Amino acid sequence: IASCLVGSEMCIRDSLNIDLEQVRRLVDSNELRAIQIGEGGAWRVEQQELQQFVDDQYERRHRESLLEQAEFSDIPELNG
């Protein structure tokens, strides 16, 4: 991520290990904040926005994990 000071779609794709269509969906949904340079120009994602996206994904996964644990916490067979 650090190498993408201002990331192009290709740089974002490589950093996140996803295809270009997924990058475009993330930008279109505003999950990944980006700006378009000029009319019909290239999309750019600043390094801090990419890092924030990754941090948000870690936080989301952490919360999902806590929820999964809570859902099964009242089952004695699973809790020893």
Side-chain angles (χ1 to χ4, degrees):
I1 294 175
S3 63
C4 292
L5 294 178
V6 176
S8 66
E9 287 180 329
M10 299 292 264
C11 186
I12 304 304
R13 180 199 72 185
D14 294 343
S15 294
L16 298 177
N17 196 30
I18 59 177
D19 64 39
L20 284 176
E21 187 58 36
Q22 289 173 298
V23 172
R24 290 183 181 120
R25 281 196 302 266
L26 290 171
V27 169
D28 288 344
S29 69
N30 206 31
E31 288 181 72
L32 179 59
R33 291 178 39 151
I35 58 170
Q36 190 172 24
I37 308 299
E39 274 190 51
W43 285 91
R44 298 285 184 246
V45 176
E46 292 184 33
Q47 178 187 6
Q48 66 193 33
E49 297 296 343
L50 182 56
Q51 186 61 55
Q52 184 63 53
F53 173 78
V54 170
D55 292 346
D56 290 347
Q57 297 309 301
Y58 276 113
E59 179 63 25
R60 185 175 135 222
R61 180 61 195 124
H62 176 70
R63 289 174 187 262
E64 288 172 351
S65 178
L66 291 175
L67 180 61
E68 289 170 8
Q69 290 173 14
E71 288 176 349
F72 296 106
S73 65
D74 60 343
I75 302 173
E77 294 84 11
L78 298 177
N79 294 309

